[in-house]
Amino acid sequence: MSGEHRTIELPSTLATPHHSAPAHPHGLTTMDGPDPVLLGELTLPAERASVPRARAFGRAVLGSAGAAHVGDDAEVLISELVTGAVRHAAGTGSLLCLRLLRDGSRLRIEVHDRGAALPHSRPVDLMEETGRGWFLVAALAYRHGTDLTASGKTVWCELDGWPHDERHAR
């Protein structure tokens, strides 16, 4: 349930990746497939009001990408990742970036922020109002983790979003 944690080399030391999803200024896309497709990207201030905006953006993007059937799970995952980024933001005026990508049959949800704190599992107390985010991500996602980047981190998760399709095979 702890997820994967990696450190990504600085973008200046790597060749430009050959992906449909362009390299992002916060770090590199580290998906398994050769051609992840960027479905949508939204930059938000690291504040509580950004969480419902991120959920609405995710639902709209998934509806237009033919993955509305995973909208409920994706909405929870987006909410938890964005809430974590807001809660642990690296100061007033910080920005975060939500990215939704398709890699074959998988939907990848990424939240990039400048914070240094890594998410981690902790005992879940159902009577507390907070502290369940990473647990929910681990429970709902096929795979999840954190990538350290030159400017902070990317917290991500993946879930099955589309039926296996040879045109989008991994």
Side-chain angles (χ1 to χ4, degrees), residues 60-155:
V61 168
L62 293 176
S64 65
H69 59 282
V70 296
D72 291 340
D73 285 350
E75 192 171 328
V76 170
L77 293 168
I78 289 168
S79 184
E80 293 303 330
L81 295 184
V82 171
T83 297
V86 166
R87 179 170 297 234
H88 303 290
T92 305
S94 291
L95 296 176
L96 58 94
C97 181
L98 168 64
R99 296 179 84 206
L100 302 176
L101 301 107
R102 179 177 180 172
D103 186 23
S105 63
R106 295 264 163 73
L107 167 67
R108 182 172 171 115
I109 301 165
E110 298 179 349
V111 176
H112 304 262
D113 69 60
R114 294 188 176 277
L118 298 177
H120 61 281
S121 295
R122 62 184 193 180
V124 176
D125 183 347
L126 297 178
M127 299 306 290
E128 293 293 322
E129 290 186 27
T130 63
R132 294 184 294 271
W134 201 235
F135 173 80
L136 288 172
V137 170
L140 291 174
Y142 168 78
R143 201 168 77 137
H144 66 286
T146 306
D147 296 332
L148 300 176
T149 66
S151 61
K153 70 180 171 302
T154 301
V155 180

Side-chain angles (χ1 to χ4, degrees), residues 28-44:
L28 299 176
T29 302
T30 57
M31 299 175 74
D32 292 336
D35 293 313
V37 176
L38 179 64
L39 301 174
E41 181 175 281
L42 179 64
T43 300
L44 298 160

